Amino acid sequence: MSSDISLCNCTAIRKAARHMTRFYDACLAEVGLRGTQYIILRSLSTHGPMTINALAEVMVMDRTTVTHNVKPLQRDSLVGIEVDPEDRRSRIVALTKRGEASVRQGEAAWAKAQAQFESRFGKAKALEMRKVMADVTDTELVTD
């Protein structure tokens, strides 16, 4: 299947993101997680407990979207949410023991997805793509 090359940067990135999301969701389904859920759990595993705002910053998402994505994780006892003792208006999200186990279970499915993508797309191209996407994320964009 060949894709048309879009003149619109946003369209190209969103199409690629949806394509990758479907693939990673399918790979992580065996452990009962969606890609975004796994990324949230993995971020908490790497960075430790953090406020919803800090998690939103790490995920490059808005606070409302993070809250929406965290609720099912809380419902499934994969994360706990507590009031921030330093700012009672904030909430701190932390992995539970069950969440830690889900991260470990998800690692194999994630590694399999990574390996399959890199074998089909090319390991060097995949690394270059991640570098380019990091540059895109770091580019300051403002509307006038």
Side-chain angles (χ1 to χ4, degrees), residues 1 15-28:
M1 178 165 121
K15 284 172 89 173
R18 285 190 298 272
H19 179 68
M20 294 297 288
T21 297
R22 269 189 239 123
F23 173 65
Y24 276 79
D25 282 352
C27 291
L28 288 161

Side-chain angles (χ1 to χ4, degrees), residues 23-88:
F23 173 65
Y24 276 79
D25 282 352
C27 291
L28 288 161
E30 67 187 51
V31 294
L33 295 172
R34 295 181 56 101
T36 303
Q37 292 173 321
Y38 180 70
I39 294 167
I40 289 171
L41 295 176
R42 193 169 171 148
S43 294
L44 290 169
S45 177
T46 301
H47 300 289
M50 64 180 88
T51 65
I52 295 278
N53 287 340
L55 183 56
E57 193 171 307
V58 167
M59 300 287 300
V60 190
M61 298 169 105
D62 63 75
R63 184 185 194 290
T64 305
T65 303
V66 170
T67 300
H68 174 76
N69 280 284
V70 164
K71 285 184 181 188
L73 298 173
Q74 182 185 28
R75 177 198 65 218
D76 295 340
S77 301
L78 301 176
V79 300
I81 301 176
E82 302 289 332
V83 173
D84 183 347
E86 295 180 20
D87 181 354
R88 299 200 49 79

Side-chain angles (χ1 to χ4, degrees), residues 24 27-28 38 42 105-118:
Y24 276 79
C27 291
L28 288 161
Y38 180 70
R42 193 169 171 148
Q105 290 171 342
E107 285 172 357
W110 175 84
K112 183 175 148 186
Q114 288 285 105
Q116 183 178 347
F117 176 74
E118 289 181 357

